[in-house]
Structure formats: C-alpha cells, structure tokens
Amino acid sequence: MEYDGIVLESWSTWTAYGILHDPELRNMALEFIKQLGNALHSVNSVRNRKQHLQLVYVIGPPHSEKFQPHDFGPVDLQSLSDAVDGFSLMTYDFSGPHNPGPNAPLKWISFTLQLLLGSPGIGTRSLARKIFLGINFYGNDFVLSEGGGAITGREYLNLLQKHKPALQWEKNSGEHFFFFSDENQVKHAVFYPSLISISMRLEEAKLWGTGIAIWEIGQGLDYFFDLL
C-alpha cells in the first residue's frame, strides 16, 4: 500500500488477556514490539528510499503513581525507545457514561506526562519528542442518570442549535461544557473541545517537547485547524 509504516495498538488487549500480569509473557510482549520495530526499520519506504518504515505504538496513561504490572511505565518507554519511532499516548477518555465528566482534564494530562517522563526539561527531551500527546476532537453527551456516549462536531452543532444552551468553563479540567434536558426531561451534560481547551493542550505539548496525536481529525470542527 506504500504506507510509511504501521500504528500498533495491542497493550490494552494484552492486559485484558492477562499477558502483562505474567512476567515472562510480559517480557515476550516487549520483545515482540522490539523485533517488529527493528524489522520495519530494515525496510525502506517505497515513496522515500531514504526513509525506513516506521512503527508507532499506542499506549494508555498509567492509572496511578504506583505502577501495576499492566501499566505502561517509564521503564517500558526507555526499553522500547530505539525500536519504536513514536508513542501515541491516549490522554483522553478520562470520563465515561458511568462517571460523567471532562474528556481529558489538563492536570491529569500533565500528571500522566510526569509519570512517564519525570519533569519537563533537557534531560527528558529525547524521549518526549517520541511521545504524541493524544488530543480528542470528539466530545461526549452524557445522560446524568447514567448513559450517553461520544459525539462528533456535527452532532455537537446540532445540540447547540436545538437547545441553545449556555456554555460553561470548567476551570479545574480546562474544558467547556453545557447542560440541557431532552424531550423526556432527562438531563444531559455535554463536554466538547473548544479553541481555548485545544490551545491549552497544545501549550502543554510544547512545554514537554512532545508531538500530538489527534483522535480524530474528522470528528472536530473546521476552525480547530486554525490552531494547528
């Protein structure tokens, strides 16, 4: 297909199957990623003969300061850094239908980067430049009695047009949201990115020296591109 490489997402599946809880299997999983990266690096791109094929690996945020066997931590990052060209860090989906709230609180993003990299500075730059900080271009329409789910830009605009809600700024998370009641008088809370919330996350990426990974471009509003 003349692609530049592959993006592999396997860590969450390995966690679900218990592979990462077994030290021997965990080491084999890491070795698989290394061998895959080295194999891709041994092949040149069809479109650019001076560029080898690349491997981007998807990682989830650690759950706490006390790393569990299934968490992807700083030791794993260091171990795979030569074989992997980039790490797509899923710093979104902080909340869900069972715990409605912001999609990606800014303090949580900073905390996640600190767990993986330490403190921002010259010493972390070589690893930080390989991390693609995840930024969501989708939002969530939560039913406060429990339920709801993801929405795209078009659905968000439809809700604004239909309900004409008052946008509110959640200072702690750095996100905009609004409430509305549907035709059944069920209350909803909607969290969706705005120019200022995206701008703040881009500044966080600059502070740490990381790249960004957008999930996903087609789900956002057109003027989000003005920031990129």
Side-chain angles (χ1 to χ4, degrees):
M1 300 296 292
E2 299 186 7
Y3 291 155
D4 295 322
I6 66 170
V7 177
L8 175 66
E9 182 173 358
S10 63
W11 200 263
S12 57
T13 304
W14 287 342
T15 300
Y17 281 96
I19 291 172
L20 302 177
H21 292 81
D22 182 312
E24 185 177 353
L25 290 177
R26 195 183 195 283
N27 287 335
M28 290 174 65
L30 290 170
E31 186 60 30
F32 167 75
I33 300 171
K34 292 177 184 177
Q35 290 190 25
L36 178 60
N38 291 334
L40 287 167
H41 293 168
S42 69
V43 180
N44 289 332
S45 167
V46 173
R47 293 187 300 161
N48 182 2
R49 291 296 180 182
K50 295 181 180 180
Q51 175 68 54
H52 59 63
L53 295 182
Q54 297 185 325
L55 172 62
V56 173
Y57 192 65
V58 179
I59 57 175
H63 293 83
S64 69
E65 291 182 76
K66 187 177 180 181
F67 286 94
Q68 302 299 315
H70 59 271
D71 283 329
F72 188 95
V75 175
D76 301 313
L77 184 68
Q78 186 73 54
S79 171
L80 297 177
S81 61
D82 289 337
V84 175
D85 299 284
F87 297 89
S88 182
L89 178 59
M90 297 190 291
T91 38
Y92 38 76
D93 286 344
F94 178 82
S95 304
H98 301 295
N99 60 326
N103 297 313
L106 193 58
K107 290 181 181 178
W108 171 68
I109 291 174
S110 181
F111 175 72
T112 298
L113 289 170
Q114 189 169 5
L115 286 178
L116 287 172
L117 295 170
S119 299
I122 296 174
T124 63
R125 289 287 170 175
S126 60
L127 285 177
R129 66 181 180 81
K130 287 199 170 190
I131 289 181
F132 303 143
L133 183 68
I135 297 179
N136 57 290
F137 270 18
Y138 66 91
N140 280 300
D141 174 7
F142 293 121
V143 179
L144 292 184
S145 57
E146 199 170 292
I151 57 170
T152 63
R154 181 177 297 179
E155 293 165 316
Y156 174 71
L157 293 178
N158 287 340
L159 288 174
L160 289 179
Q161 187 174 24
K162 182 176 181 180
H163 300 284
K164 296 178 172 54
L167 282 173
Q168 301 182 51
W169 177 250
E170 214 290 294
K171 184 178 179 180
N172 288 329
S173 65
E175 293 190 22
H176 276 106
F177 72 101
F178 64 80
F179 295 110
F180 76 91
S181 295
D182 61 25
E183 56 272 13
N184 297 316
Q185 298 306 306
V186 176
K187 197 167 185 179
H188 294 236
V190 175
F191 289 81
Y192 192 83
S194 59
L195 289 179
I196 188 170
S197 73
I198 295 172
S199 179
M200 291 172 73
R201 283 147 184 79
L202 292 175
E203 287 301 316
E204 191 73 16
K206 289 180 183 177
L207 172 67
W208 288 87
T210 71
I212 62 169
I214 297 170
W215 188 273
E216 55 187 79
I217 283 178
Q219 297 175 344
L221 301 177
D222 289 347
Y223 73 165
F224 287 175
F225 292 100
D226 295 345
L227 297 173
L228 305 178

